[in-house]
Amino acid sequence: VLLLIVIAASVFAILGIAQPVQRITLAMRRLADGDTTSAVPFAGRADEIGSMAAAVEIFREAAIENIRMTAEAEQSRRSNEEQRVALQRRAEEEARRKLIEATSALAVGMKALAAGDLTYQINEPVSEDFEALRDDFNSAVQQLGETLADSVGAVPLNHPHCAKFCVLGGAACSQ
């Protein structure tokens, strides 16, 4: 009888305690390896084995939540990076547009100046980044026109290079 009680107690210890602990330990290892899909065995039991299983289930749920939050953070980071790149691209396109606008206006002015139009002024608005350049061009053309007008009056009509350089009243010097 005593032997039968010892055998029954041993079987109970193996089947009722050791085997559930081993299965819970296996579930913990799988969880540590990243497997959050496997259910934790014995989570519904009302004894110490059930308490251990419930504790492992809490860790499993926390791991699932951590994975979810990590995925959300990564998605948010990607979204923020895409927005940053889009904003940078728009800013670069806007800067390029402003540069083209200003250089186009300056090119027209330079062509007018090369054609001898010393009254040309860049009147169309340009980006405030290039307002100083426009103002400098307009001032330089005006100053050049005034300087040449003063110089023309100072050159005698019988100057040997007068036919090339003198402009009086819109007509070239005759001498």
Side-chain angles (χ1 to χ4, degrees):
V1 174
L2 185 61
L3 183 61
L4 197 55
I5 293 175
V6 171
I7 292 174
S10 296
V11 169
F12 173 75
I14 292 171
L15 295 178
I17 299 172
Q19 190 177 38
V21 170
Q22 287 176 343
R23 288 184 59 198
I24 290 172
T25 302
L26 180 63
M28 290 171 52
R29 283 193 186 120
R30 284 194 308 259
L31 182 60
D33 290 338
D35 178 7
T36 57
T37 60
S38 297
V40 178
F42 309 109
R45 283 178 57 163
D47 58 2
E48 290 79 10
I49 299 294
S51 295
M52 288 173 54
V56 174
E57 180 62 24
I58 290 171
F59 284 117
R60 186 181 80 82
E61 289 171 2
I64 290 170
E65 179 65 13
N66 189 33
I67 290 169
R68 184 193 64 76
M69 289 180 4
T70 301
E72 282 180 4
E74 179 60 23
Q75 177 58 35
S76 178
R77 186 200 62 75
R78 262 188 260 129
S79 177
N80 289 340
E81 179 64 14
E82 289 170 2
Q83 289 175 0
R84 185 195 64 77
V85 167
L87 285 173
Q88 182 176 350
R89 188 177 306 121
R90 282 194 295 266
E92 288 170 356
E93 288 170 0
E94 179 65 13
R96 183 175 184 273
R97 184 194 62 75
K98 289 177 180 180
L99 180 62
I100 289 171
E101 178 184 87
T103 55
S104 295
L106 190 58
V108 170
M110 295 299 280
K111 286 178 184 174
L113 186 59
D117 183 357
L118 297 178
T119 62
Y120 184 84
Q121 295 285 296
I122 300 173
N123 293 319
E124 58 268 3
V126 294
S127 166
E128 67 182 46
D129 298 337
F130 297 101
E131 280 293 321
L133 180 62
R134 183 186 76 142
D135 293 344
D136 289 348
F137 174 84
N138 289 342
S139 295
V141 171
Q142 182 179 353
Q143 183 73 33
L144 180 62
E146 291 171 3
T147 301
L148 284 177
D150 291 345
S151 297
V152 168
V155 175
L157 291 178
N158 62 358
H159 189 275
H161 301 292
C162 186
K164 291 183 181 176
F165 299 105
C166 298
V167 178
L168 297 173
C173 296
S174 57
Q175 299 185 9

